[in-house]
Amino acid sequence: MPQAKDTYQEKPWYKRSNSWAWIVTGACVLAFIIIMAMDSAAEKKAKANRPKPRSYEEVFTPEEAKRMGIGGRIDGPGDWKPDPNAAKNVREFIEKGGNADPAGDAIQDGDYHDLLDQNGGPEGF
């Protein structure tokens, strides 16, 4: 019986489809890594060149800021002082039971099935 000349082992590497599949896969992976590295470098460069936000004092003149009502501090008056009784008020609030609400307490004490009936079943909530 004659031996076939074109068996898998006898083919040179460049005639095997398996070799070309690995070469194409490797080239695609390498291209993907290069593109991701370039994108990361471009993002870092863009972030470094991004202008910093300016405060309203740099943008508006004092007259414009006063006319638009943004003079002083934007997040509230600059001379705000905390309540000196804040710790006592918080302690009383906690000892009282938090946010006491008679309607909420009645709901908590009520029967679940009665509430369902009053509100038209589970779809009523």
Side-chain angles (χ1 to χ4, degrees):
M1 201 181 218
Q3 289 283 341
K5 277 188 158 184
D6 293 332
T7 62
Y8 181 77
Q9 288 78 16
E10 294 178 2
K11 286 184 182 178
W13 70 270
Y14 55 87
K15 288 189 177 181
R16 296 182 199 151
S17 61
N18 190 11
S19 298
W20 286 107
W22 281 111
I23 290 171
V24 169
T25 302
C28 289
V29 168
L30 186 62
F32 180 74
I33 291 171
I34 291 171
I35 290 172
M36 293 301 291
M38 290 171 54
D39 182 51
S40 176
E43 185 177 343
K44 285 180 185 176
K45 186 177 178 183
K47 189 174 184 181
N49 293 336
R50 188 176 304 147
K52 305 254 186 279
R54 300 185 305 169
S55 69
Y56 74 94
E57 288 111 353
E58 296 173 358
V59 176
F60 300 114
T61 64
E63 295 82 23
E64 289 175 328
K66 186 174 182 180
R67 185 169 27 92
M68 294 193 305
I70 57 172
R73 291 173 46 144
I74 291 178
D75 58 352
D79 58 350
W80 179 82
K81 299 274 190 272
D83 184 11
N85 297 324
K88 184 181 82 151
N89 294 342
V90 169
R91 184 179 301 120
E92 287 176 2
F93 179 77
I94 292 171
E95 287 173 356
K96 186 173 73 172
N99 197 4
D101 182 18
D105 294 339
I107 289 174
Q108 291 294 332
D109 294 337
D111 185 23
Y112 175 73
H113 296 288
D114 289 340
L115 288 171
L116 283 179
D117 292 339
Q118 291 173 2
N119 291 304
E123 297 83 20
F125 274 108

